[in-house]
Amino acid sequence: MEYYSAKIGALIDELARLPGIGTKSAQRMAFHIVGLPETQVKHLADVLVDARKNVKYCKCCCTLTDADICPICDNPKRDHKTIMVVETTRDLAAYEKTGKYDGVYHVLHGAISPMLGIGPNDIRLKELMVRLADVDEVIVATNPSLEGEATAMYISKLIKPSGIKVTRIASGVPVGGDLECIDEVTLLRALEGRTEL
Amino acid sequence: MEYYSAKIGALIDELARLPGIGTKSAQRMAFHIVGLPETQVKHLADVLVDARKNVKYCKCCCTLTDADICPICDNPKRDHKTIMVVETTRDLAAYEKTGKYDGVYHVLHGAISPMLGIGPNDIRLKELMVRLADVDEVIVATNPSLEGEATAMYISKLIKPSGIKVTRIASGVPVGGDLECIDEVTLLRALEGRTEL
């Protein structure tokens, strides 16, 4: 990239390594950044380093947080007898945005994937097992992908013997979705999971 | 955003201010960043600050660069008698990627827009005028938008009296484009600009 400054080139390269950012977006961001006031760029850089430095895993549910115990686990108003198991903190955030779930969570930070060499010991399963003493229900909300389903099956086999209820979130046609555009597997899932009106 | 750490929330907010980055992408990037090794995050932060600190405008063509004179203006092999006028350094980069243009550039850093209150004095036009002493052709490659066209007209009126050739890049159907999906104005432009086979 002879035609940019080497510094801008380096910035574009760094930005393009972020997930979901291609060279075009990285370029757009980089030129935006070099046009910002210097203090603002410094602030962005500080926030980056600060976030990384201060983020740790909640000692209870393993979500990313800056306290020892995250605000959800620390909230006595939440139903601590219901644990929703999710793959990532982003998935937790997605369910929190609905505002309708008042149980707690457990973040696995991944899913079992023999293809990628990720086994049960590589995700936060042990941490889940030690939380089950006083739990009524474990809702498995891993993604409806191959890995997510495998993880759900594994968790169910692991927990069911202890008599705790293990449930799986429903798979089906998304609300507002167009049947015509939806893959066959989802359509079949929706059919299998049909409920009486 | 009670459910994240405040530090992650701050990072997401900062990232979402970048162009083309929505909350979802910012969230994805933020969680990726807090999962990176600390040294790598530090490096990204440094590159950001470094790029901003060291970038300046080329004294000749006004492009963003880290030298006084950019590599293109500094290259004796380029045709310095042909100047392509573009709105941004990104546009310059787009033409450089074609590898077929061997003239030099002039970056306006904007386009005339009465709507946004951007007049001829707010873009790098004066810097262009002082470069015209020994120039054969000025190719106006501003965007085919309202502002870009207005800027092109303005530049043409400004330069033509001095006898220098002023040209405008062609507007028309993009290669690989589907006529069906192309707006009427472009279709008419393509028709007007037709060439004999």
Side-chain angles (χ1 to χ4, degrees), chain A residues 2-3 5 7 14 17-19 27 29 31-32 34 36 40 43 50 52-53 66 71 90 97, chain B residues 2-3 5 7 14 17-19 29 31-32 36 38 40 43 48 50 52 66 71 90 97:
Chain A
E2 190 227 318
Y3 40 92
S5 118
K7 305 276 182 189
E14 275 304 310
R17 292 169 67 179
L18 296 173
Q27 204 173 305
M29 285 161 70
F31 282 113
H32 174 84
V34 296
L36 288 175
Q40 211 168 313
H43 178 68
D50 199 37
R52 174 62 188 83
K53 202 175 270 169
D66 47 12
R90 288 208 308 275
K97 265 182 213 147
Chain B
E2 189 225 320
Y3 39 94
S5 117
K7 305 276 182 191
E14 275 303 310
R17 293 169 67 176
L18 296 172
M29 284 161 69
F31 282 112
H32 174 85
L36 289 175
E38 209 167 322
Q40 212 167 312
H43 179 67
L48 270 165
D50 199 39
R52 174 61 187 83
D66 48 11
R90 289 208 308 275
K97 265 180 213 146

Side-chain angles (χ1 to χ4, degrees), chain A residues 30-102:
Chain A
F31 282 113
H32 174 84
I33 288 165
V34 296
L36 288 175
E38 209 165 324
T39 50
Q40 211 168 313
V41 178
K42 185 79 185 60
H43 178 68
L44 172 59
D46 289 344
V47 167
L48 271 166
V49 172
D50 199 37
R52 174 62 188 83
K53 202 175 270 169
N54 291 291
V55 161
K56 40 193 166 185
Y57 298 109
C58 169
K59 287 219 165 94
C60 180
C61 76
C62 303
T63 191
L64 292 163
T65 184
D66 47 12
D68 278 344
I69 299 290
C70 79
I72 295 171
C73 289
D74 206 30
N75 187 344
K77 284 186 196 148
R78 309 279 307 211
D79 168 13
H80 288 261
K81 286 176 178 280
T82 306
I83 299 183
M84 181 186 281
V85 180
V86 291
E87 292 183 26
T88 65
T89 301
R90 288 208 308 275
D91 298 339
L92 176 160
Y95 258 103
E96 274 304 283
K97 265 182 213 147
T98 68
K100 301 285 183 202
Y101 176 69
D102 72 343

Side-chain angles (χ1 to χ4, degrees), chain A residues 61-196:
Chain A
C61 76
C62 303
T63 191
L64 292 163
T65 184
D66 47 12
D68 278 344
I69 299 290
C70 79
I72 295 171
C73 289
D74 206 30
N75 187 344
K77 284 186 196 148
R78 309 279 307 211
D79 168 13
H80 288 261
K81 286 176 178 280
T82 306
I83 299 183
M84 181 186 281
V85 180
V86 291
E87 292 183 26
T88 65
T89 301
R90 288 208 308 275
D91 298 339
L92 176 160
Y95 258 103
E96 274 304 283
K97 265 182 213 147
T98 68
K100 301 285 183 202
Y101 176 69
D102 72 343
V104 291
Y105 295 89
H106 189 84
V107 183
L108 295 174
H109 292 284
I112 295 169
S113 168
M115 290 268 285
L116 298 171
I118 301 170
N121 292 326
D122 300 317
I123 59 177
R124 306 280 175 136
L125 266 178
K126 271 186 299 247
E127 289 86 343
L128 173 63
M129 298 314 287
V130 300
R131 296 179 63 191
L132 299 181
D134 195 28
V135 162
D136 290 339
E137 183 177 355
V138 172
I139 304 167
V140 185
T142 52
N143 285 324
S145 63
L146 213 63
E147 293 78 16
E149 295 293 358
T151 311
M153 289 303 290
Y154 189 89
I155 292 175
S156 142
K157 276 190 186 153
L158 212 60
I159 299 180
K160 262 192 175 163
S162 61
I164 296 167
K165 192 169 152 193
V166 182
T167 56
R168 178 90 177 102
I169 53 163
S171 241
V173 179
V175 179
D178 190 342
L179 254 69
E180 200 178 78
C181 307
I182 288 165
D183 64 290
E184 291 143 46
V185 180
T186 304
L187 288 177
L188 286 175
R189 283 277 184 89
L191 186 65
E192 283 164 20
R194 67 189 179 279
T195 51
E196 215 168 314

